[in-house]
Every structure is written in C-alpha cells, then in structure tokens.
Amino acid sequence: MALRAVKKRRVHEEIIAQIRRQLAEGRWKSGDRLPSERDLSERFKVSRASVREAIRALESAGLVRIKTGEGTYVASGPEAFLSPLVSVLLQQKDVYLDIFEARKVIEPEIAALAAQRASPEEVRQMEGILAEQARQIAQGESGVEADTAFHSLLTQSTKNKIFLRLSDAIVDSLYETRERSLHVHGRPARSLAGHREILKAIRAKDPARARRAMLQHLMAIEGNVLKPPRGSRKGGGGGAM
C-alpha cells in the first residue's frame, strides 16, 4: 500500500488523513481488516501511541470498528464511504461547482420534507439558532457555527437517516471553506435572510414554499461565492451553506 513516513508534528492527524484517503480510493473496503497497530506504526514511522490515537478518532467518526482481541475493521454504512470521499473530492479542481449542482437537487427536497415533518420543538430550536446567528453577525462575527447548526437541524427534522449522513459528510468537509466565505462583506446577513425565508415556510408547513426558499438560498450563495464566467461551468472559490 502507498503509505509514507509521517513527518508532521501532529502525526495522528496525518495518519488519519492517509487512512481516509485509502478508504476513499477503495484500497480498503467495508469489512476489511486494517494492518495491526505495530504494522501501521512501522509503515508510518511513528509511535504506536500515535497510531492508537488516530484509530480511536477514526472509530469516533464511524469509519472503523475496533474488535477487542481481533483487530480494527473498516466500518460499513454510508458514513464510512461518504466522509473520506468528500474530503478527497474537495482537493479536485472545480469540485465546488459539482457540489452546488448536487446540493440544488438534494437540499430543496430536504427543506420540503422538513416543512412536513419538523416537530414544534425542532421549529423552536431553529428559531433559537437563527436568533443566535443574528447575534453573532451583529457582533461582527461570521455566524458559521449557527449557520452549520441550522442546516444540520433542518436535515435532522426530515427523519431521513440517509439525508442526515449525506448532509453531515458534506457539511463537515466544507466547514473551513464556508467559514472563509462568510467573511465576505455582506454574506453573513444574506445567509441569515435566506435561512429566515426557509424557516417561515417550515413554520407554515408549506413544502413547495420551503423548496423554493432553499433553492433561492443556494443559488444566491452560488452566485455570490463561485461567480462562474458567463456561459461556462468553470470557476473557482469556495462553498458556503
């Protein structure tokens, strides 16, 4: 396997990155047993303690399962595939255009389902999150934490586990890029305005309105952040929720 010696100071993070890359590229598949702790420490040229720390982090992320006395195995399920795959994809040129294209298909339907299924308590929580986002923006902050929380709760309220896992994989991988984009002048306020329109539709239990509001929110972000040349899919920049 194409593993290389680790030279970074925070070695367990580099170990995690390399193993996630192997998973995304299909070198290790669901159910496969990973090399032993001793074997990995020799391949990475690091201590077994660093390997142990990395494996525990991967287990917490749902990517591997540790069986006492047997070894470490690649986990099954969507999260074991999606999270490392998205991380690798984000290194590819023009991937954000593809991500926005996918989001404009998936997330309006998430909003529509949320309008049908969100409980009164979940709606109150969304209101609280947007109040916190407004407070953060008023203090000159980006509001990225509240922005992330709103989209996560929106997906959670659909009661659809596949949507939740897919959304979490994308949200986690885009966090740093989203934070940068929300420092663009005027972007935090526009993001909040878009969230408020979505929440109005959810509060009214209007799926069609929620679908439109989410699509408009995503198109506004795409236009403000990516700004692809006229008549072309090519472009650069980062994504935001």
Side-chain angles (χ1 to χ4, degrees):
M1 275 173 266
L3 299 177
R4 60 184 184 277
V6 172
K7 297 181 180 179
K8 291 188 177 181
R9 187 162 65 179
R10 301 185 68 176
V11 294
H12 77 281
E13 293 182 355
E14 174 64 14
I15 295 169
I16 292 170
Q18 289 198 45
I19 291 178
R20 286 169 70 97
R21 194 175 302 118
Q22 297 282 333
L23 294 173
E25 293 173 354
R27 297 178 185 273
W28 286 321
K29 297 179 174 58
S30 176
D32 284 354
R33 182 178 177 178
L34 269 61
S36 69
E37 188 178 285
R38 176 182 296 177
D39 191 7
L40 287 174
S41 69
E42 292 175 354
R43 296 191 194 191
F44 286 124
K45 308 299 183 189
V46 299
S47 70
R48 292 178 65 174
S50 294
V51 171
R52 192 175 305 120
E53 185 176 5
I55 293 299
R56 286 174 178 168
L58 290 166
E59 182 185 34
S60 297
L63 299 179
V64 302
R65 291 180 296 112
I66 299 174
K67 294 185 179 181
T68 304
E70 296 184 31
T72 302
Y73 295 81
V74 178
S76 60
E79 66 274 16
F81 168 74
L82 290 170
S83 183
L85 176 60
V86 171
S87 296
V88 171
L89 285 175
L90 291 178
Q91 301 172 23
Q92 307 302 311
K93 183 178 180 181
D94 298 330
V95 71
Y96 292 106
L97 297 173
D98 292 332
I99 288 177
F100 268 102
E101 190 171 75
R103 289 183 65 190
K104 286 186 291 183
V105 172
I106 296 169
E107 295 192 45
E109 296 309 312
I110 287 176
L113 282 176
Q116 298 176 63
R117 300 176 181 176
S119 68
E121 176 58 27
E122 287 169 331
V123 172
R124 285 193 291 271
Q125 289 177 13
M126 290 180 199
E127 292 170 345
I129 289 170
L130 295 194
E132 174 61 18
Q133 186 178 9
R135 185 195 66 78
Q136 292 175 4
I137 293 171
Q139 293 183 348
E141 301 173 16
S142 68
V144 65
E145 297 288 353
D147 189 289
T148 300
F150 178 76
H151 281 267
S152 293
L153 181 55
L154 192 69
T155 307
Q156 180 180 324
S157 69
T158 68
K159 316 301 190 290
N160 185 303
K161 294 179 181 178
I162 299 301
F163 275 150
L164 185 59
R165 289 172 176 175
L166 177 60
S167 178
D168 283 348
I170 294 175
V171 168
D172 290 346
S173 298
L174 287 177
Y175 184 87
E176 291 185 7
T177 305
R178 293 172 58 249
E179 186 172 34
R180 288 196 300 270
S181 73
L182 283 171
H183 280 92
V184 175
H185 180 70
R187 270 286 300 121
R190 288 194 292 273
S191 176
L192 177 60
H195 290 168
R196 284 172 169 164
E197 288 302 312
I198 295 166
L199 181 55
K200 286 178 184 178
I202 292 172
R203 193 185 292 118
K205 295 188 176 299
D206 188 335
R209 180 179 172 187
R211 186 182 291 111
R212 289 194 301 271
M214 178 61 81
L215 181 59
Q216 290 170 0
H217 178 55
L218 294 172
M219 291 177 68
I221 295 168
E222 184 179 35
N224 289 333
V225 178
L226 298 184
K227 296 181 180 178
R230 186 184 298 273
S232 171
R233 290 188 74 249
K234 299 296 182 181
M241 295 304 291

